[in-house]
Amino acid sequence: MKILVFGSYNIDKVYTMPRLPKTGEDIYCTNYEVHVGGKGLNQALALARAGADVSVAGKVGSDGNYLTDYLKENGIDVSDIDFSGDYTGHTIIQVDPDGQNQMILFGGANQQITEDYCDRILDKHRDADLILTEYETSCVEYILKKAHEYGIRTAINPSPFVEKCKTLPFDCIDCLILNEYEGRSITGKYEYKDVIRALHELIEGEVILTLGSEGAMYFNGKEIYSSPAYKVNAVDTTGAGDTFTGYCLFSLLKGESPEIALKTGCAASAIEVTKPGAAETIPYKEEVADFLKNNQ
Ligand code: RIB
């Protein structure tokens, strides 16, 4: 099963904060670390650690080797990454003592993806079983339309939410995976069941709604399935959604039931939030299997 992640690659600059600053306030952080990140990178890693055969596409700058080397070490095919971006994308992430975060995103090379590059990549990957995108790159709509035209199954995590997410080419999306804030913003509905039903009316495929500490929901037009979140001591929630996305999607692709896919995604993200960082703390499938066994 071949998956192409057409996504973003960021250098994450992570500041541990005694609390998040108020407007106009200057405060010292208590720790600073640099990590690999970006939703594309994190989601590709989660898929690969779940056991998928993953290739990545996207754009970085000349210093992007830091990111591609990490992906390569994790068995991901990085040969299509374009290194001609002006600057590699980066994110400034502040994490508070409850593990909650605030991010400033600098798109950099992620926003320099062109239609010509998309054409080249999609022509090469016409045999992919799935293309996964998010909303941190340019050309997202073009990628979805072209992949759909080629008959490739598409999945998108429309994150971070921007107004343009309301006008995505929904008829070209087979699987929508998003959090409650994104779902509510796109549909204008509030109750989770209303949100997931309204999203399903837009795409008519599979919709997966993540609900933070309340777990996740799945709807494909028949029955709504849900899974509670596992109770853990969250240290850093950065990357939790990406971890869920990779594990849940791969489980569905393997033909597992929505209940199992939701549980697997929730278990993987529960493990991920117990350690500081994003990409590096995405668990391997053995850890997820053990966690599921011990938390039935
Ligand atoms: O979802 C987490 C990711 O969002 C971080 O790694 C950061 O780079 C931003 O893209």
Side-chain angles (χ1 to χ4, degrees):
M1 211 174 302
K2 290 165 87 174
I3 302 177
L4 175 67
V5 175
F6 210 136
S8 62
Y9 308 94
N10 292 334
I11 296 172
D12 284 357
K13 301 171 183 222
V14 185
Y15 302 82
T16 307
M17 305 298 293
R19 59 187 166 74
L20 300 176
K22 300 186 192 111
T23 306
E25 188 186 27
D26 302 337
I27 47 178
Y28 279 104
C29 65
T30 54
N31 191 36
Y32 166 66
E33 286 175 12
V34 178
H35 293 279
V36 298
K39 295 194 191 306
L41 183 144
N42 297 341
Q43 292 173 11
L45 267 178
L47 282 161
R49 289 184 179 171
D53 176 1
V54 185
S55 300
V56 286
K59 200 162 183 168
V60 292
S62 54
D63 55 347
N65 282 319
Y66 170 56
L67 306 174
T68 53
D69 285 352
Y70 191 78
L71 288 165
K72 227 193 291 179
E73 282 162 23
N74 280 272
I76 294 169
D77 178 4
V78 298
S79 56
D80 288 319
I81 294 281
D82 178 341
F83 281 82
S84 69
D86 292 339
Y87 300 98
T88 298
H90 75 250
T91 313
I92 291 173
I93 306 177
Q94 301 179 38
V95 183
D96 78 6
D98 295 326
Q100 300 303 317
N101 62 44
Q102 259 179 15
M103 295 191 202
I104 299 173
L105 287 159
F106 170 69
N110 296 311
Q111 294 294 332
Q112 294 178 331
I113 290 174
T114 61
E115 292 186 359
D116 281 353
Y117 173 75
C118 296
D119 287 345
R120 189 157 57 74
I121 297 299
L122 290 170
D123 282 346
K124 183 174 164 190
H125 290 272
R126 280 181 97 131
D127 63 340
D129 295 292
L130 178 83
I131 288 195
L132 171 62
T133 60
E134 16 69 26
Y135 217 82
E136 285 189 344
T137 70
S138 48
C139 287
V140 173
E141 291 79 2
Y142 188 80
I143 295 165
L144 291 169
K145 283 184 189 158
K146 185 128 191 171
H148 182 70
E149 190 188 307
Y150 282 1
I152 311 170
R153 194 174 160 68
T154 60
I156 179 168
N157 167 224
S159 180
F161 174 80
V162 288
E163 280 302 304
K164 269 173 80 186
C165 293
K166 290 183 178 168
T167 55
L168 281 166
F170 290 108
D171 56 332
C172 300
I173 299 171
D174 297 299
C175 180
L176 193 57
I177 181 157
L178 70 183
N179 67 26
E180 79 274 34
Y181 170 75
E182 292 146 2
R184 283 173 173 158
S185 305
I186 290 175
T187 62
K189 306 278 183 200
Y190 187 80
E191 297 299 333
Y192 298 150
K193 286 191 176 170
D194 296 338
V195 172
I196 206 163
R197 284 204 178 95
L199 290 168
H200 183 262
E201 274 172 28
L202 291 172
I203 71 158
E204 290 177 11
E206 294 178 296
V207 183
I208 301 149
L209 192 62
T210 60
L211 310 170
S213 59
E214 292 178 74
M217 262 183 178
Y218 170 98
F219 187 50
N220 63 1
K222 293 178 194 135
E223 202 179 323
I224 293 182
Y225 298 93
S226 51
S227 166
Y230 293 94
K231 299 252 173 298
V232 290
N233 183 23
V235 171
D236 184 353
T237 56
T238 315
D242 301 330
T243 306
F244 178 93
T245 296
Y247 268 88
C248 181
L249 268 182
F250 188 54
S251 174
L252 289 170
L253 270 182
K254 284 191 294 183
E256 290 175 344
S257 67
E259 290 105 316
I260 292 186
L262 291 178
K263 270 193 179 169
T264 308
C266 287
S269 54
I271 302 170
E272 196 273 340
V273 301
T274 57
K275 297 166 209 148
E280 291 98 333
T281 59
I282 295 171
Y284 289 85
K285 61 180 179 201
E286 295 77 13
E287 290 169 81
V288 178
D290 280 352
F291 183 95
L292 283 166
K293 217 184 291 164
N294 298 330
N295 290 275
Q296 295 203 1

